[in-house]
Amino acid sequence: MPKTPHNPNMDLFWSQEFVDEWNEEHSPKKLVLPPAPKSPTKSPKKSKGKGDDNKTKETKKSFEKRKHDIAEAFLRELDETVTDGKLQLLAESTGGIKIKWSSKLNTTAGRANWKRETVRNKLPDGSERSATQRHHASIELAEKVIDDENRLLNVVAHEFCHLANFMVSGITGNPHGKEFKVWAAKCSRAFGHRGIEVTTKHSYEIDFKYKWECTECGLEYKRHSKSVNPERHRCGSCKGQLKQTKPTPRMAAKPSEYQLFLKEQMKVVREQHPKSPQREIMKIIADKWAKRGCSNRATPESDHPVSATEIGVKTLSFRLDSIAL
């Protein structure tokens, strides 16, 4: 900023009003920026409590009880709306389209099964009088994969399109071809308001009960049963060690001092007293433990010292209970 052209001998040099005007005129202009918009604060997500878990369990139980009726009712609705009841009419002679729940379908949610049987009626002279066709149709649904109503309805709609493709269109060679897509579009238009969208593939994640992860490459292994043993199995990609991640395995409890002593002395005492019954052997071990001055720790649940005989009886009772179980 330039200095004023006046010197101390001039009156304007001492005029505060003139100095303020000079400074305002020659000072660099400040760049006024609009205030930055404040980002909306996100409320922290609340962790699920026991109440939410109980509600989820109750919802699943309710779904398990109703799922078969839901599937059958929606299948009838699909047939009446999309094919004017043709599928049930074609399968009527064999009992209609059957809904079956399978525990063997682990990686797919459903499967449509169809077979056409030709029944030929012959005259007494052996010539053919007529031939009728019988349609055997069923839909298999995976118990381990379908865990809510929306998924159930979409799977039933998908498999229904396969049956319509087989039984009405007569297409058996290209299961997800253009004819299938026509049926899929009809179902999606008719029931889109209920969340039905039939695609060529099931696009949802399967909730596996057990999961393991490789500690080296991070590859994940998912199973419906506890069929992977990390002590025996290794990663198929890098041969690394596997670690169970779902559910989190419990930490094994360390054996107590008395349990270690009992395990150590059992073999020794049996060799020293080969003909003694189990009760006597346990009494001898209990006496040895008592002589070590550890009788108070032999039975942690008691608040007072116990005798060696009581220790032997309690230990024997515990072992017998374990054998009975």
Side-chain angles (χ1 to χ4, degrees):
M1 184 177 66
K3 294 182 179 180
T4 62
H6 307 94
N7 56 49
N9 297 326
M10 298 180 179
D11 293 334
L12 290 176
F13 180 85
W14 302 103
S15 173
Q16 185 64 42
E17 183 178 356
F18 174 81
V19 172
D20 292 339
E21 290 177 358
W22 178 272
N23 291 338
E24 183 177 357
E25 181 180 356
H26 295 89
S27 295
K29 301 297 182 182
K30 292 182 180 180
L31 182 62
V32 180
L33 298 175
K38 295 183 179 180
S39 58
T41 56
K42 295 182 179 179
S43 58
K45 294 183 179 179
K46 295 181 179 179
S47 58
K48 290 186 177 180
K50 290 185 178 179
D52 296 331
D53 292 338
N54 291 335
K55 288 182 180 179
T56 303
K57 289 180 181 179
E58 290 298 325
T59 303
K60 287 187 176 181
K61 284 183 180 179
S62 175
F63 172 72
E64 287 295 323
K65 292 179 181 178
R66 301 181 300 112
K67 64 182 183 181
H68 190 76
D69 295 335
I70 293 173
E72 287 188 334
F74 188 57
L75 178 61
R76 287 193 298 269
E77 193 174 355
L78 281 167
D79 190 31
E80 293 169 0
T81 305
V82 179
T83 65
D84 294 328
K86 290 181 181 178
L87 296 193
Q88 290 293 350
L89 185 63
L90 290 171
E92 187 177 7
S93 60
T94 58
I97 302 173
K98 300 176 179 63
I99 297 288
K100 299 178 181 179
W101 289 89
S102 173
S103 60
K104 295 181 179 180
L105 295 178
N106 296 326
T107 57
T108 184
R111 182 167 57 196
N113 301 309
W114 170 77
K115 182 179 71 172
R116 181 171 53 197
E117 176 188 8
T118 302
V119 180
R120 303 183 185 278
N121 299 319
K122 295 184 179 181
L123 295 172
D125 59 358
S127 60
E128 185 175 320
R129 182 178 62 182
S130 62
T132 57
Q133 292 183 340
R134 303 175 65 189
H135 295 264
H136 300 265
S138 65
I139 293 177
E140 281 186 87
L141 300 174
E143 292 180 350
K144 298 176 181 178
V145 178
I146 301 174
D147 53 6
D148 61 55
E149 185 171 342
N150 180 264
R151 183 173 293 186
L152 172 60
L153 298 182
N154 275 279
V155 173
V156 171
H158 182 100
E159 305 309 328
F160 168 83
C161 291
H162 278 302
L163 292 181
N165 207 24
F166 297 151
M167 300 167 69
V168 179
S169 301
I171 304 298
T172 59
N174 190 7
H176 291 114
K178 61 180 182 179
E179 292 83 3
F180 173 86
K181 292 176 182 177
V182 170
W183 290 112
K186 289 182 179 180
C187 289
S188 299
R189 281 196 302 269
F191 297 94
H193 62 285
R194 292 170 61 177
I196 304 302
E197 184 181 1
V198 181
T199 58
T200 55
K201 292 183 179 180
H202 301 298
S203 58
Y204 41 73
E205 185 178 354
I206 299 174
D207 184 20
F208 289 90
K209 188 176 181 180
Y210 296 94
K211 292 181 182 179
W212 292 263
E213 185 178 312
C214 177
T215 57
E216 298 294 332
C217 66
L219 188 63
E220 195 173 44
Y221 296 86
K222 304 175 183 180
R223 298 290 186 273
H224 289 290
S225 61
K226 199 173 182 180
S227 57
V228 175
N229 185 355
E231 296 181 0
R232 295 177 54 244
H233 301 124
R234 290 292 181 267
C235 176
S237 177
C238 69
K239 306 303 178 185
Q241 190 173 4
L242 300 178
K243 179 183 178 182
Q244 185 175 338
T245 57
K246 180 185 177 182
T248 305
R250 296 179 180 178
M251 297 296 292
K254 293 183 178 180
S256 65
E257 187 178 350
Y258 180 71
Q259 288 174 329
L260 295 174
F261 178 80
L262 179 64
K263 183 179 180 181
E264 175 190 346
Q265 292 295 319
M266 182 63 69
K267 184 177 180 180
V268 176
V269 175
R270 278 182 174 172
E271 290 178 353
Q272 294 174 350
H273 305 274
K275 296 183 179 180
S276 298
Q278 181 70 16
R279 184 184 183 90
E280 291 297 326
I281 291 175
M282 295 302 299
K283 184 177 181 301
I284 294 171
I285 295 175
D287 289 337
K288 285 187 174 184
W289 176 257
K291 288 178 182 178
R292 290 182 52 180
C294 301
S295 58
N296 287 339
R297 285 177 288 175
T299 54
E301 67 275 10
S302 62
D303 296 330
H304 59 279
V306 294
S307 65
T309 304
E310 289 176 333
I311 294 173
V313 172
K314 287 188 177 183
T315 309
L316 177 61
S317 174
F318 171 76
R319 290 176 62 85
L320 291 176
D321 288 343
S322 300
I323 294 171
L325 291 175

